[in-house]
Amino acid sequence: MRQGARRRETKYFYLFISPWLIGAAVFTLYPILYSLYISFTEYNITSPPKWVGLQNYTKMLQDDLFWRGVKATVLFTIFSVPLQLLLSLFLAVLVNQKIPFRRFFRTAIYFPSMISGVAMSLVWLWVFNSKIGMFNWALGLLGIDGPKWLEDSNWALASMIIMTMWSAGAGMVIFLAGLQGVPPILYEAAKIDGVTRWQSLWRITLPMISPVVLFQLIMGIIDSFQVFTQAFVMTKGGPHYATQFYVYYLWQNGFKFFKMGYASAMSWLLLIAIMLMTFLIMRVSRKLVHYEGGGGV
């Protein structure tokens, strides 16, 4: 009886999830596997794929624009991720204090991160405008002649990095959840022992929320490796390829030059790079991240 009932439950279980299984296989698994095949071919959509082996992958080593994309993306990641982490943590510590209207401040800081990437990019196009932009207007009040920002190859990438601070509210919410999970008794015991607030931050807060920091770091790196919208809307990869990010160049090859084989190879290389970076961070974090109960990853 029990075995019969379990079989019926199993049958109905697979019956009810079959639409999801079919959808995942057709719209997710198949495109992923097909893109792997396409990465070993020369394919321009209009004609059948032509097998070329590792040619697309070896071509990257000789492609100057590919290396420009790698350089721009790596520089963007190195500077934007730590800055966004620090700003998000700073804001989370501030709004975690017992201050008036703290719920309002939490909402106000988080709200900009809800705006779509295209709309945000259009707003920042005006902010960075060298003639009527808000930044140069504010610098003018101080008697400073502001740079051309997005029009200057020396400032374009820095402008993109500054722009990422706009969405620090999303990270703030996650850090805030981590801060509120720290037992208050730890701070009370530290206060009795004469530990200052700065020491409490280093010796209690950061170790206790280190898993949250790890999560934010990994997600921040993954997001920064895939930066695209800002370059597409604001600079088109310029000026002088200063914002020619990896994914933007990938998009150009796939949907502008119709080099689908080369674009697929770039996408798989990006996947491997993200997986390796995540693996290395997880390995290093074993000795740096504190987990309740002493467990590790």
Side-chain angles (χ1 to χ4, degrees):
M1 290 291 291
R2 291 183 178 179
Q3 291 183 350
R6 288 179 180 177
R7 289 176 181 175
R8 285 195 299 273
E9 289 179 358
T10 303
K11 180 179 67 175
Y12 287 124
F13 167 76
Y14 284 110
L15 177 64
F16 283 120
I17 69 168
S18 59
W20 180 88
L21 291 175
I22 296 171
V26 174
F27 298 108
T28 303
L29 182 60
Y30 173 74
I32 290 174
L33 296 177
Y34 189 67
S35 72
L36 179 60
Y37 163 71
I38 290 297
S39 70
F40 296 102
T41 67
E42 182 180 326
Y43 181 44
N44 62 0
I45 300 178
T46 58
S47 58
K50 179 183 176 182
W51 184 266
V52 293
L54 296 174
Q55 182 177 314
N56 288 323
Y57 292 92
T58 56
K59 181 182 175 182
M60 295 180 201
L61 301 176
Q62 305 169 351
D63 188 349
D64 182 60
L65 292 181
F66 167 81
W67 289 112
R68 286 176 181 267
V70 171
K71 179 182 177 181
T73 304
V74 169
L75 288 175
F76 179 82
T77 301
I78 290 174
F79 290 100
S80 67
V81 174
L83 287 174
Q84 196 165 19
L85 279 175
L86 290 173
L87 181 59
S88 298
L89 179 59
F90 174 73
L91 293 173
V93 171
L94 285 182
V95 298
N96 194 43
Q97 307 300 314
K98 295 181 179 179
I99 57 175
F101 308 108
R102 62 177 177 176
R103 292 184 178 179
F104 168 78
F105 289 123
R106 291 173 182 174
T107 305
I109 295 172
Y110 174 72
F111 183 77
S113 62
M114 298 176 62
I115 301 175
S116 70
V118 174
M120 180 177 66
S121 298
L122 292 174
V123 170
W124 281 91
L125 267 176
W126 167 74
V127 172
F128 285 127
N129 189 288
S130 60
K131 297 179 180 179
I132 60 172
M134 185 180 69
F135 273 1
N136 281 2
W137 171 79
L139 291 173
L141 296 178
L142 301 175
I144 302 174
D145 188 14
K148 292 187 177 181
W149 300 108
L150 298 173
E151 302 167 35
D152 188 343
S153 59
N154 296 319
W155 281 94
L157 185 60
S159 303
M160 295 290 187
I161 294 170
I162 294 172
M163 179 180 167
T164 60
M165 302 302 104
W166 176 264
S167 57
M172 178 210 69
V173 172
I174 298 175
F175 274 126
L176 185 61
L179 290 172
Q180 293 184 349
V182 179
I185 192 172
L186 296 179
Y187 295 111
E188 296 172 3
K191 188 176 181 181
I192 294 173
D193 291 338
V195 177
T196 63
R197 288 190 175 183
W198 182 253
Q199 291 173 327
S200 295
L201 176 65
W202 281 102
R203 298 180 181 180
I204 299 176
T205 305
L206 288 179
M208 292 298 293
I209 67 168
S210 54
V212 180
V213 176
L214 175 64
F215 171 78
Q216 293 274 66
L217 175 63
I218 292 175
M219 295 305 297
I221 290 175
I222 292 174
D223 288 342
S224 64
F225 275 17
Q226 300 179 80
V227 60
F228 167 78
T229 305
Q230 296 94 314
F232 178 76
V233 175
M234 301 172 70
T235 63
K236 303 299 181 185
H240 304 296
Y241 303 105
T243 57
Q244 180 88 355
F245 295 120
Y246 187 95
V247 173
Y248 180 75
Y249 185 52
L250 188 159
W251 172 84
Q252 282 185 315
N253 277 286
F255 298 97
K256 188 176 181 180
F257 308 135
F258 297 107
K259 298 178 181 178
M260 282 297 177
Y262 192 55
S264 296
M266 288 185 65
S267 67
W268 276 93
L269 187 63
L270 177 62
L271 173 63
I272 293 171
I274 290 174
M275 291 176 65
L276 285 175
M277 183 64 66
T278 304
F279 174 77
L280 291 174
I281 293 173
M282 294 298 292
R283 292 282 293 183
V284 173
S285 70
R286 290 183 176 183
K287 297 181 180 180
L288 301 175
V289 178
H290 168 79
Y291 295 94
E292 290 189 37
V297 179

